[in-house]
Amino acid sequence: MAEQSSDGGRIRVGRRRSQRSRGRRAAVVVAWSVVALLLIGGSGLGYVYFKLNGNLQGVDINAQLGKDRPGNIDNGSMDILVLGSDSRSGANAEYGTDEGGARSDTAMVVHVHEGHRTASVVSIPRDTLIDRPQCTAGDGTAVPGEHRAMFNTAYEVGGPACAVKTVEKMSGIRMDHYLEVGFSGFKKLIDELGGVEITTTRPIKDPDSHLDLAPGTHTLDGEQSLGLVRTRKSVGDGSDLGRIQLQQAFIKAFIAQVKEIGVLSDPGRLLDVADTATKAITPDSGLDSVTELMGFARSLGGLGPEDLQMVTLPVVYDPVDPNRVVPLEPASRQVWAALAQDRPIPAAALKDSAGDKGDAGTVVRGSTAAANGPAHERAGHAPGTPGTPGADGAARVPRTPGVDRAAGE
């Protein structure tokens, strides 16, 4: 970034990083989309067990990490690291030049609370400077640790296991599962579902993402959806943090819509969607069979967009390098402590974060009010309404009245 200015406490960003870095955050949206598709699949996926099972190639995270991990707290909650891979080889080559490897430029820690009725989702910006721990890559190569390393380098130098270890060191929370997806899977999933209907509250015009949308309702195909979640220059303050807000709003809109699509009434369409979804993901070895994946999906089957609290890890721009961000302390520790204790994330932990400023998340809205923007934006409503901070300062995650969402149903 060549220049920046302060305007009412908000950082304005000037010229951006190289073309190579643009748009890589989009892939993480695919992973949550796959989870949403699996939720609606249920037992209907069983009749194509062998076809789908052959699509799944898992990564044995547990074997690679060994015993140097946080303790496994068995309280009924679940933590999943959802990552997006931006490899430019194969089907992803159209998005840039393959540089001989892959990076993960955004990650989401999905904490499913006890009872599996609500979830808290924490996005970790790719440019967050962290102390990356020593890792062992998938081929057994030792990867040294690094002080002030960008978060996304963990995946680049050590693969999925190193990304998981880095998140566990940052958070102090053991990841129960891992899901990874790439660009081409995102486009195919959207197209298989017939597009995603969203409403834009302001114009979105970004030449880098090839998107030009007037205010109003649009049905986006896979290419347009990819462009939307790559967009940053025409939303918020033009930063990557604003783009994360936009992605969170899009994810909620997508989940709201996908749960209403009548895929189950059309076996052929269900097979196409499930085939695309299982080809798109790389799960950990605990989810690398259809049986395991179906059990996982059923345990989350009651979650809708209104049950998600989506936030960005509290960060501030690095005073040494304004192209990077650093965790905001002690606010970031409050976020991780809330997840570790299986509690909603305190609204107070987000108020000073650069990632919580701006209104990029309000630019895109889904077809229902529940899909509209990150949960923290609804804070401050009357007592008892969704997103209202409770007596302990926590932003409450809403539930849909009258729906029994017991785990496993």
Side-chain angles (χ1 to χ4, degrees):
M1 284 181 283
E3 55 182 322
Q4 60 176 3
S5 63
S6 177
D7 182 8
R10 296 174 60 189
I11 294 180
R12 298 279 179 185
V13 181
R15 188 156 40 93
R16 300 295 167 193
R17 289 183 284 278
S18 67
Q19 179 69 31
R20 179 179 61 82
S21 68
R22 291 169 179 165
R24 291 177 175 169
R25 267 63 92 209
V28 72
V29 180
V30 187
W32 189 259
S33 302
V34 171
V35 173
L37 291 169
L38 290 169
L39 299 184
I40 64 172
S43 59
L45 297 180
Y47 78 101
V48 289
Y49 176 90
F50 291 106
K51 177 178 177 61
L52 302 182
N53 214 52
N55 292 340
L56 296 168
Q57 302 294 323
V59 178
D60 194 344
I61 300 292
N62 291 331
Q64 293 184 43
L65 294 185
K67 297 182 179 180
D68 184 20
R69 305 181 66 183
N72 188 13
I73 302 175
D74 186 13
N75 62 0
S77 65
M78 181 187 301
D79 293 281
I80 308 133
L81 176 59
V82 181
L83 239 64
S85 168
D86 77 327
S87 172
R88 294 304 198 263
S89 59
N92 291 332
E94 63 185 282
Y95 298 107
T97 303
D98 180 40
E99 298 170 356
R103 293 187 181 184
S104 172
D105 291 312
T106 300
M108 293 189 296
V109 174
V110 181
H111 176 85
V112 184
H113 293 275
E114 181 183 5
H116 294 196
R117 295 171 181 257
T118 58
S120 298
V121 182
V122 181
S123 296
I124 304 175
R126 67 180 290 275
D127 294 337
T128 306
L129 295 177
I130 49 92
D131 288 331
R132 193 184 68 226
Q134 180 177 331
C135 300
T136 301
D139 61 0
T141 303
V143 179
E146 182 179 346
H147 178 59
R148 284 177 56 86
M150 279 177 56
F151 171 79
N152 72 326
T153 63
Y155 180 91
E156 181 184 14
V157 301
C162 192
V164 170
K165 185 171 184 178
T166 299
V167 170
E168 291 184 344
K169 290 293 185 181
M170 290 174 63
S171 66
I173 300 170
R174 186 186 181 104
M175 296 296 107
D176 298 295
H177 291 297
Y178 169 86
L179 283 173
E180 176 190 330
V181 190
F183 280 120
S184 60
F186 177 84
K187 289 175 56 178
K188 291 177 182 177
L189 283 172
I190 298 297
D191 288 334
E192 288 286 357
L193 290 167
V196 175
E197 184 176 289
I198 57 97
T199 298
T200 53
T201 60
R202 296 199 297 272
I204 299 178
K205 188 170 184 178
D206 189 336
D208 292 332
S209 61
H210 309 293
L211 198 67
D212 188 356
L213 298 175
T217 300
H218 310 271
T219 299
L220 306 184
D221 62 16
E223 185 69 35
Q224 291 172 311
S225 296
L226 180 61
L228 180 66
V229 297
R230 295 172 67 192
T231 293
R232 68 179 176 193
K233 289 189 175 179
S234 60
V235 296
D237 63 1
S239 73
D240 289 334
L241 298 177
R243 173 159 47 189
I244 289 175
Q245 290 184 2
L246 183 65
Q247 291 174 352
Q248 291 170 346
F250 179 83
I251 289 169
K252 285 197 168 191
F254 178 81
I255 294 175
Q257 181 169 327
V258 79
K259 289 176 73 69
E260 299 173 359
I261 294 175
V263 178
L264 293 178
S265 62
D266 185 342
R269 189 179 182 197
L270 173 61
L271 174 58
D272 290 341
V273 169
D275 187 46
T276 300
T278 49
K279 286 178 179 176
I281 67 172
T282 300
D284 69 273
S285 56
L287 296 176
D288 63 356
S289 74
V290 171
T291 300
E292 292 165 331
L293 213 51
M294 285 171 57
F296 173 72
R298 277 197 289 266
S299 75
L300 305 181
L303 289 174
E306 70 276 12
D307 302 312
L308 305 179
Q309 182 189 22
M310 303 190 76
V311 305
T312 302
L313 181 71
V315 294
V316 292
Y317 286 95
D318 180 40
V320 177
D321 183 353
N323 291 317
R324 306 287 181 256
V325 295
V326 293
L328 178 64
E329 303 294 353
S332 62
R333 291 198 301 272
Q334 288 181 274
V335 169
W336 298 130
L339 300 193
Q341 297 165 15
D342 197 33
R343 295 175 57 83
I345 295 168
L350 309 173
K351 65 183 180 67
D352 295 324
S353 171
D356 199 52
K357 300 183 186 301
D359 61 352
T362 66
V363 177
V364 169
R365 298 186 180 275
S367 57
T368 65
N372 292 342
H376 64 267
E377 292 177 359
R378 297 193 296 273
H381 292 184
T385 58
T388 304
D392 59 357
R396 298 304 184 199
V397 185
R399 299 177 182 176
T400 301
V403 178
D404 184 3
R405 291 198 173 111
E409 295 184 356

